[in-house]
Amino acid sequence: MHNITLIPGDGIGPEVSFAVKEIIDSTGVSINWDIQEAGEKAFNTVGNPLPESVIESIRKNKIALKGPVTTPIGKGFRSINVALRKEFNLYANLRPVKKLPGIRTPFDHVDLVIVRENTEDLYSGIEKIIDNDHVEAIKMISREASRKIGLFAFDYARKNGRKKVTAVHKANILKYSDGLFLESVREIKGEFPDIEYEEIIIDNLCMQLVQRPEYFDVLVMPNLYGDIVSDLCAGLVGGLGLVPGANLGDHYSVFEAVHGSALDIAGKNLANPLALLQSAVLMLEHINETAAARSIKDAINWILSRKERLTPDLGGIGTTTSMTQDLVAYIRKNSVGTLN
Ligand code: NAI
């Protein structure tokens, strides 16, 4: 029996989180879910977007599956995602982006992994009002965190049969901060002679990603670039409804999709559960529940070949509920072709 914290979140969060819970439970894997509220809903009900009970639950269970949470723009409480990543030192944000069968995109081959540093950079949240017309924000880069994420990227590449790590930066302009990031990753590369290493300036990366995404393998980068490049890469493979993620530290892990709370479609039963479901697959693999992960992957591959059953973001006429029912039915029957 695994104890796992489930944070449904805001907007489409509860829709996709409970869908994914139902799908995971249908595999028969034994999970005791500890459901915890965080985000805007928690702020409105208990006055704290990250109640202590959420921290305690993750500290106890060590693993969480998290729906997206809303962060107010330009005012209000600070991101609880950033707070959670700092609290549990979830220094690596892993986002595999893969072209999936059945999804039509301009690219035949996209299979890359974004490794985003998750604890510093402009996300340090240190901003200062200088006067009415000037503000400053601190971009914090440390050798320790940069080395750690560099090591994570190379180690991930080696363990997962990847061939190349590309460090992404803007050290031509940010000579000290991105310069230190780059220097730290370079220090690591010597330990991995079997992995090819390249460096690329962030703006050039963006252009090349939309021209020849097949060229890239593992991409390692500071926090802000990782955030932006993740959404860009989601666009290469069919959108945010598909791309999973994992926030990993040495002792704790929080699995969540790349997408946010999607307020434009919240409550309409239109949210695609596959991004969070694929994050759950990463989670099941992480806790060595490989059979459950396999059967969910099989079900995902099956539903991707039935376009009409998918949610509208993928061109279908399905709903969150109908996709969940289809996936659960497929997993229960566990045989290809019983649903058509
Ligand atoms: P978003 O990712 O929520 O939505 C961007 C677009 O993608 C929208 O058109 C939305 O409908 C679509 N989309 C996203 N997920 C989808 C899904 N599963 N199925 C179908 N369509 C989907 O980004 P946005 O609108 O910039 O942010 C909304 C809120 O989410 C903000 O408060 C932001 O701070 C928060 N956010 C939270 C994250 C987290 O908790 N990990 C990550 C990113 C944003």
Side-chain angles (χ1 to χ4, degrees):
M1 167 77 80
H2 303 277
N3 292 313
I4 294 179
T5 304
L6 178 68
I7 302 172
D10 299 315
I12 61 167
E15 295 169 68
V16 291
S17 298
F18 290 113
V20 167
K21 174 183 175 299
E22 195 179 331
I23 296 163
I24 295 175
D25 289 344
S26 76
T27 66
V29 66
S30 185
I31 293 177
N32 175 30
W33 298 100
D34 182 6
I35 297 172
Q36 294 286 337
E37 290 299 345
E40 196 173 44
K41 202 190 296 159
F43 182 74
N44 292 337
T45 50
V46 298
N48 180 357
L50 188 55
E52 194 51 40
S53 58
V54 180
I55 306 277
E56 276 167 24
S57 173
I58 300 175
R59 200 170 300 290
K60 180 163 64 74
N61 297 329
K62 307 224 167 2
I63 306 269
L65 182 65
K66 178 185 159 296
V69 293
T70 299
T71 308
I73 293 174
K75 58 181 167 57
F77 61 84
R78 289 200 177 272
S79 166
I80 76 132
N81 295 318
V82 174
L84 274 179
R85 291 164 189 173
K86 280 191 182 161
E87 176 73 29
F88 293 104
N89 196 15
L90 305 170
Y91 60 88
N93 192 333
L94 182 75
R95 293 172 159 184
V97 183
K98 195 168 186 298
K99 160 124 171 68
L100 294 169
I103 302 298
R104 283 186 54 173
T105 70
F107 306 104
D108 290 334
H109 184 83
V110 183
D111 184 8
L112 55 87
V113 179
I114 295 164
V115 175
R116 165 186 175 189
E117 200 292 319
N118 221 10
T119 59
E120 49 183 26
D121 193 1
L122 279 160
Y123 290 71
S124 59
I126 308 167
E127 289 185 297
K128 199 167 105 189
I129 297 171
I130 298 168
D131 61 36
N132 238 1
D133 302 311
H134 300 85
V135 295
E136 66 180 19
I138 303 287
K139 177 176 163 100
M140 178 65 73
I141 298 281
S142 71
R143 189 181 300 279
E144 189 193 351
S146 304
R147 279 183 64 95
K148 236 175 156 172
I149 201 69
L151 183 59
F152 181 95
F154 277 102
D155 194 49
Y156 177 89
R158 183 179 274 170
K159 287 187 178 142
N160 291 276
R162 299 271 171 176
K163 303 274 178 283
K164 180 170 66 182
V165 169
T166 304
V168 181
H169 66 95
K170 189 75 186 173
N172 49 332
I173 302 299
L174 297 163
K175 292 181 193 296
Y176 295 144
S177 53
D178 279 14
L180 178 59
F181 176 82
L182 213 47
E183 188 184 307
S184 309
V185 178
R186 279 181 196 152
E187 281 168 19
I188 301 294
K189 82 171 162 85
E191 296 170 33
F192 295 83
D194 49 322
I195 307 289
E196 200 186 323
Y197 175 70
E198 283 183 351
E199 295 169 355
I200 190 166
I201 295 176
I202 176 74
D203 31 347
N204 183 15
L205 172 77
C206 292
M207 195 264 308
Q208 294 207 33
L209 275 172
V210 297
Q211 283 195 325
R212 51 167 190 162
E214 70 283 356
Y215 180 75
F216 297 100
D217 195 347
V218 175
L219 297 167
V220 61
M221 62 194 88
N223 208 338
L224 180 62
Y225 309 146
D227 192 0
I228 297 166
V229 168
S230 297
D231 278 36
L232 188 160
C233 289
L236 300 176
V237 295
L240 283 164
L242 288 173
V243 179
N247 300 288
L248 305 169
D250 291 332
H251 306 292
Y252 303 94
S253 312
V254 175
F255 295 82
E256 64 178 339
V258 170
H259 66 71
S261 50
L263 298 171
D264 53 339
I265 55 166
K268 297 182 179 162
N269 205 11
L270 294 175
N272 186 341
L274 293 183
L276 188 63
L277 187 58
Q278 295 205 87
S279 311
V281 167
L282 296 176
M283 179 187 83
L284 290 168
E285 288 170 345
H286 184 81
I287 60 173
N288 292 321
E289 289 290 355
T290 46
R294 183 72 259 163
S295 70
I296 293 176
K297 279 202 244 180
D298 288 347
I300 292 174
N301 283 338
W302 166 78
I303 206 163
L304 287 173
S305 64
R306 304 288 192 283
K307 186 173 173 186
E308 74 289 351
R309 291 179 185 266
L310 300 170
T311 40
D313 58 307
L314 296 179
I317 52 167
T319 61
T320 316
T321 310
S322 71
M323 269 184 82
T324 306
Q325 285 166 350
D326 283 347
L327 288 161
V328 166
Y330 182 90
I331 289 166
R332 291 221 169 104
K333 291 189 180 168
N334 197 23
S335 63
V336 180
T338 48
L339 288 168
N340 283 304

